[in-house]
Amino acid sequence: MKLSFPVVEEPDTAAREKGRKLFAGNNSDFLKGVVAMSGLPSADRIEVCFAGRSNVGKSTLINALTGRTRLARASNTPGRTQEINYFTLADSHYLVDLPGYGYANAPLPVIEKWQRLLKQYLSGRATLRRAFVLVDMRHGIKDVDEEIMSLLDSSAVTFQVVMTKADKVKEKDREKVMAQVREKLSKHPAAFPELVITSSEKGDGIPTLRAIIAGLD
């Protein structure tokens, strides 16, 4: 029986090289932070976005992908990033860092504002090719993760789960978490059927994720 939501296979040489070239050099820069739909840049290139709970390692992953340690600002304060942050990638892509969710300490009006902006963005961005939903390998999918996944389902935006901080979990303990993730994803029609396992600290999965992004048309 074929395993549902298997870990994506390592890219072949050509795909790996295409990913390396896209992210090579210092060709990524912060473009702008957006707080309303009117502030979005022109939809003139391929766009991928990254979503995840606060402290899931989103900024660290973007930095690892681009090879720029301070491109995306990591914060010790959950929910501090309240904007949709746009980064250019060469002249062909945007990397989009969505506000972290699971921000228990944020005021309710702030949370509601973020949610409205997120819904508008996800349902109205024609150039958005894929959302990457980051899930901490130590914790698996939580209720707040399922909320964003349901939003992506209703917005008809394909999302792919990226497991982060894999180096923090022993190999023998991973399977229990992965089983939980697969079970949860089976209920989401917009979920892409392959998982990516990463460690920004060790570089695991980074070439694979680069190749995936480079292969999106």
Side-chain angles (χ1 to χ4, degrees):
M1 181 178 174
K2 188 176 180 181
L3 181 68
S4 61
F5 296 98
V7 175
V8 64
E9 293 183 2
E10 288 283 320
D12 60 27
T13 302
R16 189 184 182 97
E17 180 63 9
K18 186 176 181 180
R20 186 196 68 78
K21 285 183 176 179
L22 178 62
F23 285 87
N26 293 322
N27 64 349
S28 297
D29 283 299
F30 175 72
L31 178 65
K32 65 189 304 189
V34 176
V35 295
M37 289 293 286
S38 59
L40 292 178
S42 298
D44 59 356
R45 62 186 71 186
I46 293 170
E47 200 163 304
V48 297
C49 69
F50 297 85
R53 288 186 294 111
S54 297
N55 290 348
V56 75
K58 193 151 46 69
S59 296
T60 307
L61 181 69
I62 292 172
N63 290 340
L65 283 169
T66 59
R68 298 191 59 186
T69 56
R70 297 185 181 182
L71 181 65
R73 295 173 295 174
S75 171
N76 292 323
T77 305
R80 184 176 179 182
T81 304
Q82 301 178 20
E83 302 173 333
I84 295 177
N85 287 313
Y86 266 80
F87 302 91
T88 56
L89 177 61
D91 295 320
S92 56
H93 291 67
Y94 284 131
L95 302 179
V96 184
D97 184 8
L98 299 180
Y101 51 84
Y103 21 70
N105 295 326
L108 186 58
V110 173
I111 294 174
E112 290 175 344
K113 181 182 177 183
W114 295 347
Q115 289 174 337
R116 282 197 302 274
L117 178 59
L118 204 55
K119 288 178 182 178
Q120 291 171 338
Y121 168 73
L122 292 174
S123 61
R125 197 65 172 169
T127 48
L128 179 61
R129 291 294 181 268
R130 187 168 300 176
F132 294 100
V133 177
L134 278 53
V135 173
D136 193 321
M137 179 67 86
R138 298 171 298 179
H139 307 304
I141 291 176
K142 295 195 172 186
D143 290 346
V144 288
D145 296 313
E146 291 215 79
E147 288 176 17
I148 192 75
M149 291 174 184
S150 294
L151 176 58
L152 289 159
D153 289 336
S154 63
S155 302
V157 175
T158 300
F159 71 88
Q160 186 164 15
V161 163
V162 177
M163 306 298 296
T164 63
K165 306 186 182 184
D167 58 295
K168 309 295 184 186
V169 180
K170 293 180 180 177
E171 195 73 42
K172 65 181 180 66
D173 297 325
R174 286 187 187 182
E175 221 27 67
K176 183 178 179 181
V177 176
M178 297 296 285
Q180 185 259 10
V181 168
R182 288 174 172 128
E183 189 273 328
K184 294 285 188 182
L185 287 180
S186 66
K187 303 170 186 176
H188 292 281
F192 190 81
E194 293 179 329
L195 307 174
V196 184
I197 296 179
T198 65
S199 165
S200 297
E201 192 171 300
K202 295 191 173 182
D204 298 344
I206 299 303
T208 298
L209 195 48
R210 286 172 176 164
I212 291 170
I213 294 169
L216 294 173
D217 296 319

